[in-house]
Amino acid sequence: MAAGAGGLLAAALLLVVAGPRPAPAELTDGNSEHLKREHSLMKPYQGAGSAAMPLWDFQGSTMVTSQYVRLTPDERSREGSIWNRVPCFLKDWELHVHFKIHGAGKKNLHGDGLALWYTQERLVPGPVFGSKDNFHGLAIFLDTYPNDEATERVFPYISAMVNNGSLTYDHSKDGRWTELAGCTADLRNQNHDTFLAIRYSRGRLTVMTDVEDKNEWKNCIDIAGVQLPTGYFFGASAGTGDLSDNHDIISMKLFQLMVEHPLEDESVDWTKIEPSVSLLKSPKDNVDDPTGNFRSGPLTGWKVFLLLLCALLGIIVCAVVGAVVFQKRQERNKRFY
């Protein structure tokens, strides 16, 4: 594995004792005064139906209409993406995405899904929902098809991944080895609007959904210790394989968060930060349950060996302590004779 993988995986492998879970982050109400139009995609789309859009580039099967940006049609083996041309230099931001995933396929006969990106690379096609693998930055996957037949996870499933270019997304396991957190969300073939919000502020990543037609955000992902640089690009991509769906983006709205930072942050070059996550349990030590949450995985060979070694050392220590105590008692009893 590349040398860069050591730092990222070492950080992920730190086992910590979880404290009280932080309260769900309150999302902005979408006040237009914080809206960053240079990073937002909204109707009416300028350049709809043409090969060019101000501030946005698209490729592959992407089609821009007056009502939506269709990344893939409901056809097999299609890939498409749309990317903001302007790098984002905000340290604290919130992205609201209005999307629709729909098609003629019935249960488990549709795919593959949609990805939302904040990455160094842009407009690079690849195998990860129509975009590049081994990317630098953040990806949020809206996966609609379970490739791992042994999984107990309920799909569609939303997951987060942070990468410094050294990690590979494993489609056969639905990205479980590199997933930071995730949740199940019934977001496909809905007759109402479906939304997702991604919030990044002071090292905390929060993902929330509004897919139940309740006009309220539901917590999905909440992770502290996430480091993302500035100067990356926002984008969205989708891909189909043997199964297919329409993957539509209706809008992407980016809001600036007005957050105070410590004085020492002023000396940091945020463009030079490497994407990373700290104080996290390794995803490889987890298996999923039907709710989408993690529980401890089965004991592997090395874990059993460590447990037996600890037990043996414990027995030896107890035996030594017992022998010392017994000897001292014997010496004390001899003094009385």
Side-chain angles (χ1 to χ4, degrees), residues 10-19 224 278-282 285:
L13 288 169
L14 290 175
L15 299 179
V16 296
V17 179
S278 60
L279 304 180
L280 274 181
K281 184 169 60 174
S282 169
D285 289 335

PDB file of all heavy atoms in Angstrom, residues 10-19 224 278-282 285:
ATOM      1  N   ALA A  10      -3.750   4.496   9.966  1.00  0.00           N
ATOM      2  CA  ALA A  10      -3.342   4.525  11.367  1.00  0.00           C
ATOM      3  C   ALA A  10      -4.305   5.371  12.175  1.00  0.00           C
ATOM      4  O   ALA A  10      -4.668   5.036  13.309  1.00  0.00           O
ATOM      5  CB  ALA A  10      -1.919   5.086  11.481  1.00  0.00           C
ATOM      6  N   ALA A  11      -4.741   6.483  11.578  1.00  0.00           N
ATOM      7  CA  ALA A  11      -5.699   7.327  12.292  1.00  0.00           C
ATOM      8  C   ALA A  11      -7.017   6.600  12.458  1.00  0.00           C
ATOM      9  O   ALA A  11      -7.669   6.681  13.496  1.00  0.00           O
ATOM     10  CB  ALA A  11      -5.908   8.640  11.513  1.00  0.00           C
ATOM     11  N   ALA A  12      -7.428   5.866  11.400  1.00  0.00           N
ATOM     12  CA  ALA A  12      -8.703   5.171  11.472  1.00  0.00           C
ATOM     13  C   ALA A  12      -8.668   4.024  12.461  1.00  0.00           C
ATOM     14  O   ALA A  12      -9.690   3.645  13.019  1.00  0.00           O
ATOM     15  CB  ALA A  12      -9.079   4.647  10.091  1.00  0.00           C
ATOM     16  N   LEU A  13      -7.466   3.438  12.702  1.00  0.00           N
ATOM     17  CA  LEU A  13      -7.367   2.266  13.550  1.00  0.00           C
ATOM     18  C   LEU A  13      -7.300   2.596  15.036  1.00  0.00           C
ATOM     19  O   LEU A  13      -7.242   1.700  15.867  1.00  0.00           O
ATOM     20  CB  LEU A  13      -6.123   1.451  13.150  1.00  0.00           C
ATOM     21  CG  LEU A  13      -6.250   0.719  11.811  1.00  0.00           C
ATOM     22  CD1 LEU A  13      -4.901   0.169  11.382  1.00  0.00           C
ATOM     23  CD2 LEU A  13      -7.259  -0.406  11.923  1.00  0.00           C
ATOM     24  N   LEU A  14      -7.264   3.887  15.376  1.00  0.00           N
ATOM     25  CA  LEU A  14      -7.236   4.249  16.787  1.00  0.00           C
ATOM     26  C   LEU A  14      -8.552   3.868  17.432  1.00  0.00           C
ATOM     27  O   LEU A  14      -9.631   4.254  16.967  1.00  0.00           O
ATOM     28  CB  LEU A  14      -7.020   5.769  16.932  1.00  0.00           C
ATOM     29  CG  LEU A  14      -5.615   6.284  16.552  1.00  0.00           C
ATOM     30  CD1 LEU A  14      -5.601   7.804  16.617  1.00  0.00           C
ATOM     31  CD2 LEU A  14      -4.582   5.716  17.508  1.00  0.00           C
ATOM     32  N   LEU A  15      -8.478   3.113  18.511  1.00  0.00           N
ATOM     33  CA  LEU A  15      -9.681   2.743  19.228  1.00  0.00           C
ATOM     34  C   LEU A  15      -9.849   3.693  20.393  1.00  0.00           C
ATOM     35  O   LEU A  15      -8.932   3.891  21.185  1.00  0.00           O
ATOM     36  CB  LEU A  15      -9.567   1.301  19.744  1.00  0.00           C
ATOM     37  CG  LEU A  15      -9.400   0.249  18.652  1.00  0.00           C
ATOM     38  CD1 LEU A  15      -9.279  -1.136  19.274  1.00  0.00           C
ATOM     39  CD2 LEU A  15     -10.564   0.290  17.695  1.00  0.00           C
ATOM     40  N   VAL A  16     -11.010   4.305  20.501  1.00  0.00           N
ATOM     41  CA  VAL A  16     -11.241   5.255  21.570  1.00  0.00           C
ATOM     42  C   VAL A  16     -12.500   4.866  22.318  1.00  0.00           C
ATOM     43  O   VAL A  16     -13.380   4.193  21.793  1.00  0.00           O
ATOM     44  CB  VAL A  16     -11.386   6.691  21.016  1.00  0.00           C
ATOM     45  CG1 VAL A  16     -10.096   7.147  20.369  1.00  0.00           C
ATOM     46  CG2 VAL A  16     -12.535   6.779  20.045  1.00  0.00           C
ATOM     47  N   VAL A  17     -12.578   5.317  23.540  1.00  0.00           N
ATOM     48  CA  VAL A  17     -13.777   5.106  24.328  1.00  0.00           C
ATOM     49  C   VAL A  17     -14.752   6.226  23.989  1.00  0.00           C
ATOM     50  O   VAL A  17     -14.453   7.397  24.174  1.00  0.00           O
ATOM     51  CB  VAL A  17     -13.461   5.134  25.837  1.00  0.00           C
ATOM     52  CG1 VAL A  17     -14.733   4.944  26.639  1.00  0.00           C
ATOM     53  CG2 VAL A  17     -12.447   4.047  26.166  1.00  0.00           C
ATOM     54  N   ALA A  18     -15.871   5.860  23.432  1.00  0.00           N
ATOM     55  CA  ALA A  18     -16.811   6.872  22.948  1.00  0.00           C
ATOM     56  C   ALA A  18     -17.433   7.610  24.126  1.00  0.00           C
ATOM     57  O   ALA A  18     -17.926   7.010  25.067  1.00  0.00           O
ATOM     58  CB  ALA A  18     -17.908   6.214  22.110  1.00  0.00           C
ATOM     59  N   GLY A  19     -17.415   8.930  24.046  1.00  0.00           N
ATOM     60  CA  GLY A  19     -18.062   9.752  25.060  1.00  0.00           C
ATOM     61  C   GLY A  19     -19.512   9.957  24.681  1.00  0.00           C
ATOM     62  O   GLY A  19     -20.047   9.306  23.791  1.00  0.00           O
ATOM     63  N   ALA A 224     -16.873  13.458  14.216  1.00  0.00           N
ATOM     64  CA  ALA A 224     -15.899  14.484  14.574  1.00  0.00           C
ATOM     65  C   ALA A 224     -14.508  14.039  14.122  1.00  0.00           C
ATOM     66  O   ALA A 224     -14.288  12.881  13.785  1.00  0.00           O
ATOM     67  CB  ALA A 224     -15.924  14.736  16.082  1.00  0.00           C
ATOM     68  N   SER A 278      -9.546  11.294  12.332  1.00  0.00           N
ATOM     69  CA  SER A 278      -8.876  10.824  13.542  1.00  0.00           C
ATOM     70  C   SER A 278      -9.896  10.342  14.548  1.00  0.00           C
ATOM     71  O   SER A 278     -11.092  10.653  14.464  1.00  0.00           O
ATOM     72  CB  SER A 278      -8.023  11.942  14.159  1.00  0.00           C
ATOM     73  OG  SER A 278      -8.853  13.044  14.503  1.00  0.00           O
ATOM     74  N   LEU A 279      -9.409   9.559  15.517  1.00  0.00           N
ATOM     75  CA  LEU A 279     -10.223   9.083  16.639  1.00  0.00           C
ATOM     76  C   LEU A 279     -11.428   8.288  16.183  1.00  0.00           C
ATOM     77  O   LEU A 279     -12.539   8.457  16.664  1.00  0.00           O
ATOM     78  CB  LEU A 279     -10.678  10.263  17.506  1.00  0.00           C
ATOM     79  CG  LEU A 279      -9.548  11.143  18.049  1.00  0.00           C
ATOM     80  CD1 LEU A 279     -10.122  12.267  18.892  1.00  0.00           C
ATOM     81  CD2 LEU A 279      -8.552  10.336  18.849  1.00  0.00           C
ATOM     82  N   LEU A 280     -11.179   7.403  15.234  1.00  0.00           N
ATOM     83  CA  LEU A 280     -12.260   6.558  14.746  1.00  0.00           C
ATOM     84  C   LEU A 280     -11.899   5.096  14.890  1.00  0.00           C
ATOM     85  O   LEU A 280     -10.742   4.720  14.732  1.00  0.00           O
ATOM     86  CB  LEU A 280     -12.548   6.832  13.279  1.00  0.00           C
ATOM     87  CG  LEU A 280     -13.522   7.971  12.981  1.00  0.00           C
ATOM     88  CD1 LEU A 280     -13.699   8.093  11.486  1.00  0.00           C
ATOM     89  CD2 LEU A 280     -14.852   7.737  13.633  1.00  0.00           C
ATOM     90  N   LYS A 281     -12.895   4.273  15.176  1.00  0.00           N
ATOM     91  CA  LYS A 281     -12.713   2.830  15.151  1.00  0.00           C
ATOM     92  C   LYS A 281     -12.596   2.387  13.706  1.00  0.00           C
ATOM     93  O   LYS A 281     -13.257   2.924  12.828  1.00  0.00           O
ATOM     94  CB  LYS A 281     -13.910   2.161  15.819  1.00  0.00           C
ATOM     95  CG  LYS A 281     -13.784   0.661  15.947  1.00  0.00           C
ATOM     96  CD  LYS A 281     -14.854   0.100  16.854  1.00  0.00           C
ATOM     97  CE  LYS A 281     -16.237   0.380  16.372  1.00  0.00           C
ATOM     98  NZ  LYS A 281     -17.265  -0.285  17.167  1.00  0.00           N
ATOM     99  N   SER A 282     -11.726   1.443  13.449  1.00  0.00           N
ATOM    100  CA  SER A 282     -11.524   0.981  12.085  1.00  0.00           C
ATOM    101  C   SER A 282     -12.795   0.373  11.516  1.00  0.00           C
ATOM    102  O   SER A 282     -13.422  -0.480  12.135  1.00  0.00           O
ATOM    103  CB  SER A 282     -10.412  -0.078  12.042  1.00  0.00           C
ATOM    104  OG  SER A 282     -10.403  -0.708  10.771  1.00  0.00           O
ATOM    105  N   ASP A 285     -13.161  -3.442  11.469  1.00  0.00           N
ATOM    106  CA  ASP A 285     -13.504  -4.187  12.671  1.00  0.00           C
ATOM    107  C   ASP A 285     -15.003  -4.223  12.901  1.00  0.00           C
ATOM    108  O   ASP A 285     -15.463  -4.553  13.979  1.00  0.00           O
ATOM    109  CB  ASP A 285     -12.822  -3.567  13.895  1.00  0.00           C
ATOM    110  CG  ASP A 285     -11.323  -3.814  13.878  1.00  0.00           C
ATOM    111  OD1 ASP A 285     -10.911  -4.798  13.239  1.00  0.00           O
ATOM    112  OD2 ASP A 285     -10.585  -3.029  14.480  1.00  0.00           O
TER     113      ASP A 285
END
